[in-house]
Amino acid sequence: MTLVRDTVAAFIQEEGHKVDVSVIDESDGVAELLFRTRGQVFSVTTHERNPDFYTLATAYEIPDLARENSNNTETLAIVQGEYPEVHFTMAHDGGLFIAAAQEQPGSPEAFTRAFWDVVNRVRDAGNTAIERIVDRTESKAAADKFINSLTMGER
Amino acid sequence: MNPDDVGDYMLPLEEALDDEGLLFTRDDDDDALRIAFKSEGDRYFIISYRDDPSFVMLGSGWALPAEIDVDDAIDVANEFNVRKKFVKTAVWEDQRDVLFTVELCVSSAGEVRPHVGRLLDVLRETAAEFFDDLGEGDDED
């Protein structure tokens, strides 16, 4: 019987991408498949004991200028509301966040049929989150500059 | 650039595809050097000719679906050729194919290497927009 991870890995390779397969937990049959597309590394978690369940995730680095922004978690929550199938998790002391989608398509074959749609949804959500975080940072910087100019007064 | 002097001058492009995490195959003959690869399931190629190694072309070819009118496709292609950076869109009427290509004049294929990701993005986005535009045209009819 073909392993779930082998089915998914073969699909990704057939689509043109190198795949790195790591078995995370042999007894539970959990594996992580890493591949790269459009300059971004994605991971797919597969479960041999539950071939109906997959997680597809990728990490986004928060730009330096936005890392100290206290609103980033709130911004992620707002964007997550617009992409309910994608979950964001802040990591590395606010230096990056993970965008992940958990899928229950019914079978490995069904998962591969929807594969690029899932990648696109995660990518759209992650890119939107980065744009909003940077936007809010720039807006805040502009507001701070304006407030500072008012409080300084005339010399 | 003389290919006899520089050996396999397509190697930097293979390395760029490798950096992008893409698998590829080579299909060279007496006339041309060719790399074929897929990204997210779509097929692409890179070609250079032995008698003109300064010329490098990246591209992707698509069949026009039966429901798309060739004249509409040519109109969209012409509009893209006016507006789009890098990409040339050509409709092959008899074969009902459309070809999206980026043609470059380089002193070394290595010059292209840092830009391969961007060029693949524009090829991908142009093809997607081409078929989106034609789909929207059908809806409006």
Side-chain angles (χ1 to χ4, degrees):
Chain A
M1 186 175 165
T2 307
L3 294 171
V4 172
R5 59 177 175 259
D6 290 343
T7 300
V8 177
F11 168 79
I12 296 170
Q13 283 186 336
E14 177 59 30
E15 294 286 276
H17 299 260
K18 290 185 283 188
V19 189
D20 180 25
V21 180
S22 302
V23 177
I24 306 295
D25 186 331
E26 188 68 67
S27 59
D28 281 345
V30 180
E32 182 182 54
L33 287 59
L34 294 177
F35 69 99
R36 189 176 176 87
T37 183
R38 305 191 195 186
Q40 183 106 10
V41 175
F42 285 77
S43 75
V44 180
T45 307
T46 61
H47 305 258
E48 300 304 328
R49 291 188 176 181
N50 185 0
D52 186 29
F53 188 77
Y54 303 84
T55 302
L56 190 143
T58 188
Y60 286 85
E61 193 171 347
I62 295 177
D64 286 343
L65 78 164
R67 285 188 186 177
E68 302 304 318
N69 194 335
S70 59
N71 294 325
N72 289 347
T73 303
E74 179 193 347
T75 303
L76 287 181
I78 292 168
V79 176
Q80 191 167 301
E82 298 169 21
Y83 296 88
E85 71 279 24
V86 179
H87 293 273
F88 295 125
T89 307
M90 197 66 91
H92 283 236
D93 294 329
L96 58 82
F97 66 86
I98 309 294
Q102 293 186 334
E103 298 290 308
Q104 290 186 277
S107 68
E109 291 73 21
F111 178 63
T112 59
R113 281 196 294 274
F115 189 81
W116 295 114
D117 288 337
V118 179
V119 170
N120 282 332
R121 288 204 306 272
V122 171
R123 181 162 45 212
D124 285 349
N127 288 339
T128 300
I130 287 288
E131 283 174 18
R132 298 277 178 83
I133 285 170
V134 172
D135 277 353
R136 289 188 74 158
T137 304
E138 289 174 347
S139 299
K140 183 177 182 304
D144 287 347
K145 192 175 172 184
F146 179 68
I147 291 165
N148 287 340
S149 70
L150 289 177
T151 54
M152 282 171 69
E154 288 185 16
R155 292 184 180 223
Chain B
M1 181 170 65
N2 183 342
D4 292 334
D5 294 339
V6 295
D8 186 351
Y9 59 94
M10 296 282 263
L11 280 178
L13 293 170
E14 288 190 354
E15 290 164 0
L17 295 175
D18 205 48
D19 290 345
E20 293 288 320
L22 299 174
L23 302 164
F24 55 85
T25 58
R26 283 290 292 265
D27 180 21
D28 299 345
D29 59 26
D30 290 343
D31 298 323
L33 307 176
R34 299 183 191 84
I35 301 173
F37 61 98
K38 293 206 287 188
S39 174
E40 299 188 2
D42 296 330
R43 294 176 190 281
Y44 298 85
F45 62 85
I46 303 174
I47 189 166
S48 182
Y49 300 101
R50 291 187 190 276
D51 64 355
D52 186 12
S54 298
F55 174 83
V56 173
M57 180 166 69
L58 296 82
S60 68
W62 301 71
L64 280 177
E67 64 272 19
I68 289 180
D69 186 280
V70 170
D71 289 335
D72 290 343
I74 292 171
D75 288 345
V76 174
N78 284 335
E79 190 252 321
F80 278 21
N81 287 332
V82 170
R83 180 166 57 85
K84 289 278 184 185
K85 279 183 184 172
F86 299 123
V87 179
K88 183 167 81 179
T89 303
V91 176
W92 294 38
E93 296 178 61
D94 292 344
Q95 290 89 351
R96 289 188 57 85
D97 288 338
V98 57
L99 200 61
F100 304 96
T101 56
V102 175
E103 299 178 359
L104 302 165
C105 187
V106 297
S107 55
S108 159
E111 293 174 7
V112 186
R113 182 176 175 180
H115 307 295
V116 163
R118 180 179 180 186
L119 296 176
L120 291 181
D121 281 347
V122 295
L123 283 171
R124 182 186 296 113
E125 288 161 9
T126 302
E129 190 179 340
F130 180 84
F131 289 109
D132 280 352
D133 281 7
L134 287 168
E136 285 170 11
D138 289 343
D139 290 341
E140 287 167 6
D141 291 340

